[in-house]
Every structure is written in structure tokens, then in C-alpha cells.
Amino acid sequence: MDYSIYFIPTPIGNLEDITLRALNTLKEVDIIACEDTRESKKLLDYYKIDKPLTSYHKFNEITKSQAIIEEVKKGKTYGVITDQGMPGISDPGHILIKKCIKEKVSYTILPGASAIITALVGSGLSNDKFSYYGFIPKKTSEKNIYYQKLIDEDKTSIILDTPHNFENTIKDFKKIFPQRRLALAREISKKFEEYKLMKIEDIKIEELTLKGEFVLILEKGEKKEKSIVDYKEEILNLVNEGKRTKEIVKEIQKKSKLNKNEIYDYVLQISKNNK
């Protein structure tokens, strides 16, 4: 084989969502590293592939990555798969890729099924530019930072959430951007596949089926230009540093589309009040 490690996408629902190249590679590698050996065995049994499996998940990603690197240096070839979709996105595959680069181990990524791209296309929202935000954090402090980024985001956002947390997520979204639209892509490529696009303030939890795997696609926000007041603290710091009014005006002009005279008058006002 041409590479030491192959990152192989697996079906995100329908077991037939896999490429011929992926199947042939799974048959040829020496060992397959996977998140859940029981889940992966269902796929391999379906295609009559008999290969040794080894667990590689977020609880052993550091030690296991090193062990895999050591094995491939001895001549073994590895296939790396996730339970569903593209390995390396929101799973330990990313850790192994960084190790491959550091240790100069050859690897390749096979193209294939990806829930986040499929959901984005199916959402009907703008996809010429988009941002991937991954799972919503559990800690309140981290969640607040995450939400603030979504508020300021001027591109369509791809978000991962769990069915049991979705109700809380919608309560939060209704408070911070009720007018934006949200697409829910559920059970992609499975029997009960569903796409729903709704204005957030109109979403009724009781009317939704919150089962299975799903992806959220959030409509982009409108980027708001800062007003002169938003620069107050920065201007105060520059005044206290002894910067001249003309220097401060130039500094703020570089970062904004504010009128020169407006900045000048505001700096004079702050300088006067600061005495």
C-alpha cells in the first residue's frame, strides 16, 4: 500500500453510503482503529470484511495515537474510521493526523460521507461561506463565549447538538437571536430522514421529533458596524498613554468606518472629562 495510515469515511446512516475505494482499503489494511468496535463490526460484517479492530476514542487518544505511530513504523498499515462519517472532525482522528505530521508518517484522507456538509446543503440556507462550530459546550462560561461568536458570525454556522440538550439550546437561541432561521437535519440518509427550516421564535419543541443524530444549521447574522462609543475604553487607554489627539484619530480610523470629525470630537470630549 502507498500510505501507512488511511482515514476512511464510513456511512452516516444508510450502509450503502460508502465508496468502492473505502471498501477496498478496509480490506487491504492490517488493522482498523475505530471508536466503538461493536458499531464498526456491524459495517464490516455487512461487507464481509474480516480485519482486527482496535479501540481508538477520546479517552485513549493520546496513548493510542503514539501506539499506532510505533506500529506503522514497524511496517503495519492502519485504517482509521469513526462510528459515522469523516474521521478527524470532532473525534480523535485529528490528534493522530497531527502526530503523523510531527513524526513524518505518511497518511491519506479518503473522500466520503460527511453529516455536516450534507446537512448544510439540505438546509436551504446560504452555503457560499460557512463556519463549523462543533458541539455546544456544557459549561456555562464556555457556552456564553460560544454564543457570542454565533451572534457576531456573518456566515452560515454548522452546529452539533444532542437530542436531550436541544430544548435548552432553543430556549437560549430564542433569547439571543429569535429572528434568525435554524435548519434541523435529522437522521440523514436513514429511513426517517428529515429537514426542517424554521424561524427560531416560531419553533415549537413539542412539534419536533428529537430522536437520532442531527445537525443544526444557523442562518448568518448581520455584522454590525461599531459606533464611536464602542471604542471608548480603547480611546481612554490611548489618552492615558499620552497619545496626541491626531494619533488617536488615525488609530481608530484604521479599525473603523467612522467619520474623522466624529472621532476627533469624541476624543476631545473624553480628554476633557478625563482631566
Side-chain angles (χ1 to χ4, degrees):
M1 301 184 75
D2 297 328
Y3 300 93
S4 298
I5 302 178
Y6 294 78
F7 292 85
I8 308 165
T10 54
I12 55 177
N14 191 311
L15 289 177
E16 294 180 3
D17 293 336
I18 192 166
T19 67
L20 291 174
R21 184 184 173 203
L23 290 174
N24 289 331
T25 303
L26 287 169
K27 292 173 184 176
E28 292 175 15
V29 294
D30 295 316
I31 306 169
I32 298 171
C34 58
E35 284 185 280
D36 187 331
T37 55
R38 295 163 300 179
E39 197 66 30
S40 297
K41 197 169 187 312
K42 293 176 188 175
L43 174 67
L44 297 181
D45 286 348
Y46 184 83
Y47 286 105
K48 297 180 173 57
I49 298 172
D50 184 18
K51 287 287 175 178
L53 297 172
T54 184
S55 294
Y56 176 52
H57 45 70
K58 66 178 181 179
F59 300 110
N60 70 355
E61 58 189 11
I62 303 299
T63 55
K64 195 68 175 185
S65 291
Q66 190 57 49
I68 291 173
I69 293 292
E70 289 171 6
E71 283 284 295
V72 299
K73 284 183 176 180
K74 294 175 184 176
K76 295 286 186 182
T77 56
Y78 267 80
V80 178
I81 61 177
T82 184
D83 285 346
Q84 295 179 338
M86 177 66 75
I89 298 179
S90 295
D91 76 11
H94 181 61
I95 302 294
L96 184 54
I97 289 170
K98 291 198 290 186
K99 271 228 175 278
C100 286
I101 294 169
K102 184 178 179 181
E103 301 279 346
K104 294 182 170 55
V105 168
S106 64
Y107 68 92
T108 189
I109 315 296
L110 275 61
S114 171
I116 61 177
I117 297 301
T118 306
L120 175 65
V121 174
S123 71
L125 293 172
S126 173
N127 60 26
D128 55 335
K129 293 180 181 178
F130 56 90
S131 295
Y132 173 63
Y133 276 85
F135 281 98
I136 296 174
K138 293 180 180 179
K139 291 183 179 179
T140 303
S141 57
E142 293 176 1
K143 187 188 291 186
N144 290 339
I145 294 170
Y146 183 99
Y147 284 163
Q148 186 58 54
K149 289 178 180 178
L150 289 176
I151 290 169
D152 298 333
E153 183 57 74
D154 63 347
K155 297 183 286 295
T156 300
S157 301
I158 304 172
I159 301 163
L160 301 181
D161 199 11
T162 56
H164 71 268
N165 189 58
F166 184 68
E167 187 171 352
N168 291 328
T169 297
I170 293 305
K171 285 179 181 176
D172 292 338
F173 282 10
K174 283 186 175 185
K175 292 176 185 174
I176 54 183
F177 28 62
Q179 295 297 313
R180 282 157 79 172
R181 291 181 296 167
L182 183 74
L184 170 62
R186 189 179 74 85
E187 295 287 85
I188 299 171
S189 88
K190 296 179 182 178
K191 183 179 179 180
F192 298 105
E193 176 181 272
E194 183 179 41
Y195 290 95
K196 280 186 177 290
L197 179 61
M198 303 156 282
K199 187 183 281 190
I200 291 171
E201 66 180 359
D202 297 333
I203 294 176
K204 293 180 174 61
I205 295 292
E206 62 274 14
E207 294 179 2
L208 299 176
T209 303
L210 301 182
K211 292 181 180 178
E213 300 293 328
F214 60 76
V215 182
L216 305 179
I217 310 295
L218 177 66
E219 185 175 38
K220 65 182 179 180
E222 292 184 13
K223 205 165 190 176
K224 296 178 181 177
E225 288 296 330
K226 287 185 176 182
S227 70
I228 186 64
V229 179
D230 293 316
Y231 293 95
K232 181 177 180 179
E233 189 175 339
E234 186 175 349
I235 292 171
L236 264 173
N237 289 336
L238 292 171
V239 169
N240 291 331
E241 288 173 14
K243 296 281 187 181
R244 293 185 300 165
T245 301
K246 283 186 178 180
E247 292 176 314
I248 298 173
V249 171
K250 282 184 179 179
E251 190 70 30
I252 302 302
Q253 269 194 302
K254 289 177 186 175
K255 303 175 180 180
S256 72
K257 294 181 180 179
L258 295 169
N259 180 276
K260 180 181 177 181
N261 292 333
E262 182 184 5
I263 302 171
Y264 189 85
D265 290 343
Y266 192 72
V267 174
L268 287 180
Q269 180 188 328
I270 282 183
S271 299
K272 183 180 179 181
N273 294 338
N274 199 44
K275 288 181 180 178

